[in-house]
Amino acid sequence: MQFAVTVPAVADKLLQIGVSKILEAIDEADFLDGSYGYRPGRGALDAVFALRVRGDSMTEDQIEDGDLILVKRQATATNGEVVVALIDGEAAPP
């Protein structure tokens, strides 16, 4: 009797996996590239990284040369927020 219960459970799981692959492909087109939450292969931790500060352009915000800062990747910024920006997709040279 245990076999009769196992086969439908496996078939159901395979169907769930197949449907989720189809829905992920459809929904993926609606996400912005900078969106990281609840996506296959991307998680919230992928959107956070550490940078070592070089220079003194942010000392008014108590961010000093040599500081290690945590940065959250996001597509937009609100007026007054401190941002780190890539120029042409790359960081400034050392």
Side-chain angles (χ1 to χ4, degrees):
M1 286 294 189
Q2 188 175 12
F3 181 75
V5 173
T6 305
V7 171
V10 171
D12 186 49
K13 188 63 177 176
L14 291 173
L15 180 62
Q16 288 175 9
I17 292 170
V19 170
S20 71
K21 297 280 186 198
I22 292 168
L23 293 177
E24 286 170 4
I26 293 169
D27 289 340
E28 186 68 22
D30 294 333
F31 283 105
L32 297 174
D33 190 46
S35 177
Y36 282 80
Y38 303 105
R39 293 175 71 188
R42 291 187 181 196
L45 292 179
D46 296 324
V48 178
F49 53 95
L51 291 177
R52 178 77 59 192
V53 175
R54 291 188 183 178
D56 58 4
S57 65
M58 297 189 290
T59 56
E60 66 277 358
D61 292 312
Q62 310 309 313
I63 300 172
E64 304 290 336
D65 183 46
D67 283 354
L68 187 64
I69 61 171
L70 293 178
V71 179
K72 180 181 79 168
R73 184 184 308 262
Q74 60 188 53
T76 61
T78 305
N79 189 24
E81 288 183 318
V82 175
V83 299
V84 173
L86 298 178
I87 307 298
D88 293 327
E90 296 191 17

